[in-house]
Amino acid sequence: MSASAAPLASGKGHRDENFPVASWILKPAHRAPVMAFYHFARAADDVADNSAARADEKLALLGAMRATLAGTSEANPEALALRAVLSAHGLPAQHGLDLLTAFERDCTVSRYESWDALIGYCRVSAMPVGRYVLDVHGEDHATWGANDALCAALQIINHVQDCGKDFRALNRVYLPLDMLAAAGASVDDLGRARATPALRTAITQMAVRTDTLLADSAAFAAHIRDRRLAAEVAVIHRLALSLNARLKRRDPLAERVHHRRHEAAGLAALAILGQVFGR
């Protein structure tokens, strides 16, 4: 019996993401397995974020995805598709299983008490994605430290950009509660049309802490052997620096933070040129 995630699909695709997903920069042979992982992750994310389904229904469907990816079931077509790709390329299922842990957590956890707790979430929600891409390219696991810092930064930037929408649509708050309290802000401030001065303080502090993650991943691209993957990582890092800087200046409840297409293209070109001449 099929347990497909399709009925809960949001319709969102890789072009809707804030950062490049398997862009033209990568070799075609590598883009296909990366896109397979993205489609699996998108299906699971749509399940976890569906506001109409009950938590137990979502957990049951994510459980079917887990069992299928682990090879103990054939019920979920999205996981079956990824499992076939993993088998063909000799890749481990662990990254996908770790990612499912994050989506399962999203069904039951709506608040994070501290920065450390948020980083713990990023360990299963973001870091496995980059590790998978590195495995696809046969990169050394010594690159995982820088990968983890960059992926955590990307996840946190996304959360801060979307903090108002996540609260209103899903009652989900990724801004650490202790940081909100220290700034004099409250969770309810996220439901306003414009951030209060206290909430702006908390958001700025989040961006400052994210700067550390971006600094820790600054040399990531330089340690990647595959030049095309290194260029994509350089692009992503440059985009992240720009977005994080905007979060210090702009109110994500009232102002646009996301890059427009031409802005992202300009930053990408600069990053690629820097990577080429840097090498």
Side-chain angles (χ1 to χ4, degrees):
M1 182 177 179
S2 176
S4 174
L8 301 186
S10 66
K12 187 175 181 181
H14 71 285
R15 298 187 187 280
D16 302 309
E17 304 294 345
N18 289 326
F19 299 100
V21 177
S23 76
W24 60 268
I25 299 174
L26 300 186
K27 296 173 185 175
H30 292 146
R31 284 204 298 272
V34 172
M35 283 304 302
F37 193 83
Y38 173 79
H39 290 314
F40 171 81
R42 168 50 47 208
D45 196 9
D46 286 348
V47 170
D49 285 354
N50 189 284
S51 58
R54 298 194 315 269
D56 62 330
E57 294 172 332
K58 295 190 282 190
L59 287 169
L61 188 45
L62 291 170
M65 296 183 79
R66 178 179 292 279
T68 304
L69 189 61
T72 60
S73 170
E74 308 290 312
N76 179 260
E78 291 83 10
L80 273 177
L82 178 59
R83 201 172 86 192
V85 170
L86 298 179
S87 177
H89 291 268
L91 296 166
Q94 191 59 51
H95 303 311
L97 296 172
D98 288 342
L99 203 59
L100 287 173
T101 298
F103 296 131
E104 290 162 347
R105 193 173 298 174
D106 281 337
C107 296
T108 57
V109 177
S110 61
R111 305 287 188 272
Y112 290 85
E113 293 292 333
S114 66
W115 176 266
D116 287 345
L118 182 60
I119 293 296
Y121 172 74
C122 292
R123 285 194 182 95
V124 288
S125 67
M127 298 174 190
V129 178
R131 291 181 178 190
Y132 174 83
V133 174
L134 290 168
D135 278 357
V136 166
H137 287 78
E139 295 291 332
D140 196 312
H141 286 187
T143 58
W144 279 17
N147 164 80
D148 293 353
L150 179 58
C151 288
L154 303 183
Q155 181 78 84
I156 292 168
I157 289 167
N158 284 341
H159 286 328
V160 178
Q161 283 186 125
D162 297 335
C163 60
K165 182 178 71 174
D166 286 342
F167 177 66
R168 290 189 297 270
L170 300 167
N171 188 31
R172 204 178 285 163
V173 178
Y174 293 102
L175 276 64
L177 298 184
D178 63 352
M179 294 181 71
L180 289 174
S186 73
V187 165
D188 290 339
D189 290 343
L190 294 167
R192 296 174 179 267
R194 187 173 295 277
T196 63
L199 180 57
R200 285 294 304 129
T201 296
I203 288 170
T204 300
Q205 290 173 347
M206 288 281 289
V208 169
R209 296 199 74 163
T210 303
D211 276 336
T212 301
L213 295 170
L214 292 170
D216 289 344
S217 56
F220 183 18
H223 293 111
I224 295 174
R225 292 190 299 264
D226 186 288
R227 292 195 173 193
R228 294 176 72 161
L229 176 59
E232 176 150 297
V233 167
V235 168
I236 291 170
H237 192 268
R238 180 67 66 95
L239 293 172
L241 286 170
S242 173
L243 288 174
N244 201 50
R246 287 185 177 190
L247 287 170
K248 297 174 190 175
R249 306 188 307 268
R250 300 186 184 183
D251 175 1
L253 301 188
E255 299 175 272
R256 181 188 178 96
V257 178
H258 296 69
H259 291 121
R260 298 186 187 280
R261 189 179 297 272
H262 71 278
E263 293 171 332
L267 289 167
L270 288 172
I272 292 171
L273 286 172
Q275 185 66 19
V276 169
F277 288 108
R279 290 241 178 184

